[in-house]
Amino acid sequence: MSDRPSTPLLDRVRNPSDLSQFSDAELERLAGELRAETISAVSETGGHLGAGLGVVELTVALHAVFDAPRDKIIWDVSHQCYPHKILTGRRDRMSTLRQKDGLSGFTKRSESPYDPFGAAHSSTSISAALGFAVARDLGGACDTGHGDAIAVIGDGAMSAGMAFEALNNAGHLGKRLIVILNDNEMSIAPPTGALSSYLSRLYAEAPFQDLKAAVKGAASFLPPPFREGAKRAKEMLKGMAVGGTLFEELGFSYLGPLDGHDLHQLLPVLRTVRQRATGPILIHCITKKGKGYDPAEHAPDKGHARGKFDVVTGQQKKAKSNAPAYTRVFAEALMQQAAEDSRICAVTAAMPDGTGLDLFAERYPSRCFDVGIAEQHGVTFAAGLAAGGMRPFCAMYSTFLQRGYDQVVHDVAIQRLPVRFAIDRAGLVGADGATHAGSFDVAFLANLPGFVVMAAADEAELKHMVATAAAHDEGPIAFRYPRGEGRGVEMPERGEVLEIGKGRMICRGKGVAILSFGTRLGEVLAACEALEARGISPTVADARFAKPLDRELILRLARDHDALITIEEGAVGGFGSHVAQLLADEGVFDRGLKYRSMVLPDIFIDQASPADMYAVAGMNAKDIEARVLSVLGVEVMDKRA
């Protein structure tokens, strides 16, 4: 392409070992080329831009100093891994990023030996790096050998309990381990909480940092007997300025803060650490998310997630839709309920934009809580709000809620507290792939006593389910909905409170009944149109509830039809399994009912468009049509003909 950036140094890099040929000055120019290449690549595919731009210099420095893949560089969450992928032999495949059969948007063990540990959710890197360090010292076998273990973790991810559990354990074990705190004051949303304020104070006093550097530099010129005194003086000054560091109390040697965009600081520090570190050490780097690309630097999210965009203007090339996004429908419906009920409040875990709660926060700031990357705390916090007489909505992505499952069981379900779980990103989500696919929430919630579990078939149903959840005070209730736009159905002025455990008939037919749970209903109706051409008219019903089931509706469908097919955007063990249990308990199978359950297959499906992912899952309209024909024996008749 004629508008590709000029990258003469980067063109000489096939793998990280090639960086050894460059001087420090050339590495600095290489970083500029890597930044331009990252911008160019993401402009063509879309993806996570700002995080990668913020660690370009750090990526170059790490690969110039350490010996990957023998040394294990582990990127927390790995939104920031695109420059790393370019330097590790995948530059020629960046045009396939986040596409079907292409590169993952995250680190992935099966993709490259330079990705020693897969990621996509936050705060796992220190635990994984400590595991590598201990495996190294115990003589563990590893195809790429064992060297240093380096965790690169952001300040937002550092707020999660798991990161502190790992720091505490690492400090106790005392193994050689390198943690790089990539502190950009901006994860996806601005980081919240006391830790963020503490990190800000560490580098707010620029005169102290200058003094500290001067003392450290001067001490190196003193005769040996005087160096210890200078060291004590430096620590005294440090203690006077910031009162020590939390990380040193946890057993880590602390270096920083450093300018994470200055290779003249990064390279010598990393080289010294590699040569001299004996135990756990934390290097605190200050970076800027979106660094070097003006449209990203000045965006509210610092260019976190982007569709394809124009490099010159930064303008995204997103197609407009006539249907509202499910996330926005949820947010607006919740605000409508909150306007009438001061007890309604909202909790999210570092995803106010992704869950739509940024809109709620603007209107009701005192009733909206972003707890940071802390799903476990978020769930129990919501439980406390419910116990205290509020009506909390806990809004989390399906795969993020997984991280708080123990709290869902012990702190919410056992106590029968009316926490309302708004579960975004249900089903297969597209470019983020398996790590963000909401496959398991129906199964892990519907087996909890006293839980109500709903799924919206379209955006109007979602509005009704928000109203239903707001009115439900008898125990926990959850409703799930997918990423993306709705079906374009007519929207009610306000949501109606649904009768708990009651589904709805969509159309009446004969022979076979299809019971849909969730947004596959649109595909079911498309399949029925094709079946009508064959003279087959299925009955279609929308279950609405996986728990409690609409026993009357299900048993009537079973009684009045020869075959019953359930379909859901979830794994085995969910809605269809509960329906099968009901039918078995009622002896329906003894009377010859043909029953089939269409669920997600027992695999993790790689990224592609949602339609392609559902094609792999066998859950698009043509797959539903084929299943109906199969259960009726029409497919066999066609083959004989």
Side-chain angles (χ1 to χ4, degrees):
M1 293 177 63
S2 59
D3 57 350
R4 289 295 297 263
S6 175
T7 55
L9 293 177
L10 186 59
D11 293 343
R12 293 161 57 187
V13 177
R14 294 291 178 268
N15 57 65
S17 64
D18 293 329
L19 271 61
S20 62
Q21 66 186 298
F22 298 128
S23 66
D24 287 3
E26 287 175 318
L27 288 174
E28 200 166 11
R29 293 201 298 274
L30 175 68
E33 294 180 12
L34 181 59
R35 177 169 279 109
E37 180 73 9
T38 301
I39 294 168
S40 177
V42 181
S43 74
E44 297 177 10
T45 64
H48 296 103
L49 178 64
L53 297 183
V55 297
V56 166
E57 288 80 10
L58 181 58
T59 304
V60 170
L62 284 169
H63 280 299
V65 172
F66 291 95
D67 180 24
R70 182 175 180 273
D71 293 329
K72 310 296 186 265
I73 301 173
I74 301 171
W75 300 93
D76 203 278
V77 186
S78 71
H79 287 147
Q80 73 282 58
C81 71
Y82 300 175
H84 160 80
K85 293 200 175 198
I86 292 170
L87 292 181
T88 53
R90 288 169 275 184
R91 182 185 182 189
D92 61 344
R93 297 188 63 206
M94 290 299 289
S95 62
T96 70
L97 191 66
R98 292 162 52 88
Q99 298 172 34
K100 185 178 181 181
D101 301 323
L103 292 179
S104 170
F106 305 100
T107 53
K108 189 174 183 180
R109 279 172 54 83
S110 61
E111 186 177 289
S112 170
Y114 292 98
D115 293 355
F117 200 79
H121 290 190
S122 84
S123 315
T124 63
S125 61
I126 304 175
S127 299
L130 181 60
F132 275 110
V134 171
R136 172 196 65 210
D137 294 349
L138 291 176
C142 181
D143 290 343
T144 54
H146 273 300
D148 275 315
I150 305 110
V152 185
I153 182 169
D155 54 311
M158 189 68 90
S159 69
M162 185 174 178
F164 281 98
E165 292 168 13
L167 286 170
N168 183 56
N169 190 214
H172 169 70
L173 292 176
K175 300 291 184 182
R176 175 175 161 121
L177 171 71
I178 301 165
V179 175
I180 297 177
L181 174 56
N182 172 40
D183 185 355
N184 58 26
E185 293 195 289
M186 179 80 196
S187 45
I188 297 174
T192 60
L195 177 65
S196 177
S197 299
Y198 168 74
L199 293 175
S200 296
R201 290 197 304 274
L202 276 180
Y203 59 85
E205 299 294 336
F208 162 67
Q209 295 306 329
D210 295 340
L211 177 60
K212 180 180 176 184
V215 171
K216 183 176 180 181
S220 65
F221 293 104
L222 293 173
F226 294 94
R227 290 182 187 173
E228 187 61 33
K231 177 181 177 183
R232 286 197 299 271
K234 181 190 75 171
E235 292 302 318
M236 181 184 70
L237 288 167
K238 178 180 175 183
M240 289 170 61
V242 294
T245 72
L246 169 66
F247 306 108
E248 288 173 338
E249 294 299 321
L250 289 170
F252 275 72
S253 298
Y254 172 85
L255 287 177
L258 306 177
D259 182 347
H261 299 298
D262 185 353
L263 284 169
H264 296 292
Q265 290 188 40
L266 290 174
L267 289 168
V269 167
L270 291 177
R271 286 166 181 154
T272 301
V273 166
R274 190 182 187 203
Q275 291 170 1
R276 299 184 184 180
T278 56
I281 187 165
L282 185 138
I283 304 170
H284 185 178
C285 295
I286 309 304
T287 61
K288 186 172 185 178
K289 192 171 185 180
K291 174 72 174 179
Y293 185 52
D294 193 69
E297 287 190 24
H298 291 89
D301 66 351
K302 305 301 181 189
H304 171 65
R306 287 290 175 272
K308 298 177 183 180
F309 63 90
D310 181 272
V311 172
V312 175
T313 65
Q315 189 70 33
Q316 296 187 72
K317 304 172 182 177
K318 288 187 175 181
K320 291 185 177 180
S321 172
N322 293 323
Y326 280 101
T327 298
R328 189 172 186 91
V329 170
F330 159 68
E332 292 178 347
L334 184 61
M335 288 188 291
Q336 188 178 50
Q337 295 294 324
E340 302 170 2
D341 187 346
S342 62
R343 292 173 294 174
I344 287 177
C345 55
V347 178
T348 188
M351 294 298 293
D353 293 359
T355 59
L357 290 188
D358 55 331
L359 303 175
F360 187 92
E362 289 176 8
R363 188 173 299 179
Y364 303 107
S366 67
R367 288 194 266 161
C368 190
F369 305 94
D370 179 357
V371 300
I373 302 174
E375 290 85 1
Q376 294 172 310
H377 162 62
V379 170
T380 303
F381 173 55
L385 285 168
M390 298 299 288
R391 287 178 164 170
F393 280 74
C394 186
M396 295 181 182
Y397 291 3
S398 173
T399 56
F400 294 174
L401 182 60
Q402 291 166 188
R403 312 188 93 186
Y405 184 58
D406 184 67
Q407 287 69 28
V408 171
V409 176
H410 282 265
D411 299 334
V412 177
I414 288 177
Q415 301 189 94
R416 296 189 60 82
L417 288 169
V419 175
R420 290 92 174 152
F421 291 95
I423 304 174
D424 204 329
R425 270 52 169 188
L428 303 177
V429 296
D432 281 336
T435 59
H436 285 60
S439 306
F440 310 112
D441 55 272
V442 177
F444 70 61
L445 292 178
N447 61 12
L448 298 178
F451 234 99
V452 174
V453 181
M454 304 180 283
D458 54 48
E459 59 269 42
E461 283 290 294
L462 176 56
K463 195 166 187 177
H464 296 321
M465 289 179 181
V466 173
T468 304
H472 186 73
D473 288 321
E474 288 71 45
I477 187 168
F479 53 95
R480 71 193 311 254
Y481 48 96
R483 179 182 188 179
E485 289 76 32
R487 292 174 53 203
V489 301
E490 183 177 350
M491 292 295 289
E493 182 66 28
R494 60 178 297 106
E496 299 175 5
V497 177
L498 304 175
E499 183 179 352
I500 298 297
K502 291 297 179 182
R504 58 175 180 149
M505 291 293 296
I506 303 298
C507 59
R508 297 183 184 276
K510 60 181 181 179
V512 60
I514 303 175
L515 181 59
S516 177
F517 181 68
T519 56
R520 286 292 94 187
L521 180 62
E523 295 295 307
V524 168
L525 295 176
C528 288
E529 287 186 14
L531 289 166
E532 289 283 353
R534 292 175 173 264
I536 300 170
S537 300
T539 293
V540 177
D542 173 18
R544 282 178 166 163
F545 294 84
K547 190 169 190 179
L549 291 172
D550 188 337
R551 294 171 56 89
E552 181 182 350
L553 172 64
I554 293 168
L555 294 175
R556 185 169 72 249
L557 292 174
R559 182 185 66 240
D560 296 344
H561 298 83
D562 300 320
L564 174 62
I565 299 171
T566 62
I567 182 165
E568 63 190 295
E569 298 147 315
V572 65
F575 170 69
S577 297
H578 284 259
V579 172
Q581 185 69 44
L582 169 64
L583 296 174
D585 289 345
E586 294 295 322
V588 174
F589 295 128
D590 301 345
R591 299 190 288 275
L593 176 74
K594 295 179 180 179
Y595 177 73
R596 302 289 186 271
S597 180
M598 298 184 71
V599 298
L600 296 178
D602 192 28
I603 59 174
F604 290 107
I605 301 176
D606 286 334
Q607 81 271 359
S609 69
D612 283 342
M613 294 180 80
Y614 278 113
V616 172
M619 297 181 70
N620 285 329
K622 67 176 183 178
D623 304 302
I624 299 167
E625 178 188 0
R627 184 62 62 94
V628 171
L629 295 175
S630 174
V631 77
L632 293 179
V634 176
E635 182 182 42
V636 175
M637 293 168 58
D638 284 352
K639 287 181 179 178
R640 288 175 179 171

